[in-house]
Amino acid sequence: MDAWLLSLATSWVVYPGMFVFALIDGFFPPMPSEVAAVGLTALAASTGSPDLALVVLVAAAGAFVGDLVAYGIGARIDVHRMPLLRRGRGAQTLAWAERSLTHRGRSFILAGRFVPVARVAVSMSAGALGYPRRSFMLLAGIGSTTWAAYSAVLGAGAGAWFAGHPGGAVVVGTVGGLVLGVVLDLVLSRVQHVRGRSVAPASVAEPG
């Protein structure tokens, strides 16, 4: 396994692969990019390959572009009719995102980047509700950079602990990323429950 991981890490394909993975994750919830980002940074810290800074850069860039794509989708179509956001948990997350964007838009957009399903709902809701594009781009840039750096810290910690053993570093880093996602998802569920009786506004005139 270690040999396979090392051969993957030294290939240039890993960088555009990370970019595409983070990009798609911005508008397709079933494809969370935390696993890839944390796993690659753990491998980088453990073996020196791939380049840690470059992984963080392409992950942040991909996440940023993905958020803009989601914003554009929300601005052009009725996101309430999308299969992933039309019923059940997706519909609840979308309704919560619409309510929260009006009252605390800036902090909500930044925090939403760290929660797999919420990040898509937040970005699409921002587009659908007319949240100012320039403000969204700035916040998406900050959120994407912070998310990539945080994933790198988590992965690098696992990589340093398992220095010389890339298999163990990737496993621990990936599990850490999954646990982080679960914890944030539970926090999201709790906040949704507390704010569940709020009334969703029709539009957003000013950034929150």
Side-chain angles (χ1 to χ4, degrees), residues 2-208:
D2 286 3
W4 177 81
L5 287 171
L6 289 173
S7 66
L8 177 65
T10 56
S11 171
W12 64 271
V13 178
V14 73
Y15 303 112
M18 181 68 250
F19 176 87
V20 171
F21 209 80
L23 187 157
I24 295 176
D25 179 34
F27 57 90
F28 188 64
M31 193 172 184
S33 54
E34 283 82 5
V35 173
V38 173
L40 286 176
T41 53
L43 193 58
S46 177
T47 67
S49 294
D51 184 271
L52 179 60
L54 193 52
V55 169
V56 174
L57 178 63
V58 297
F64 175 70
V65 176
D67 287 347
L68 295 186
V69 171
Y71 179 95
I73 292 173
R76 290 171 174 78
I77 68 173
D78 183 358
V79 295
H80 299 87
R81 295 185 178 183
M82 296 185 65
L84 290 170
L85 301 175
R86 187 169 53 192
R87 61 176 64 89
R89 181 63 177 279
Q92 294 174 5
T93 302
L94 181 60
W96 176 66
E98 291 174 338
R99 291 193 295 267
S100 301
L101 274 168
T102 296
H103 302 295
R104 43 190 170 80
R106 293 189 183 95
S107 60
F108 189 67
I109 291 173
L110 291 173
R113 168 25 68 183
F114 289 83
V115 186
V117 177
R119 74 174 59 122
V120 179
V122 169
S123 298
M124 288 187 177
S125 295
L129 297 173
Y131 194 91
R133 183 180 296 273
R134 289 186 178 180
S135 296
F136 179 81
M137 290 179 65
L138 175 62
L139 293 170
I142 295 172
S144 298
T145 302
T146 305
W147 166 82
Y150 185 81
S151 297
V153 170
L154 185 62
W161 187 266
F162 286 89
H165 301 282
V170 172
V171 170
V172 173
T174 299
V175 170
L178 291 172
V179 170
L180 173 64
V182 171
V183 170
L184 290 174
D185 189 54
L186 290 174
V187 172
L188 171 63
S189 298
R190 177 59 180 170
V191 175
Q192 281 182 294
H193 177 72
V194 171
R195 297 179 178 273
R197 289 188 290 270
S198 300
V199 178
S203 63
V204 177
E206 300 290 339

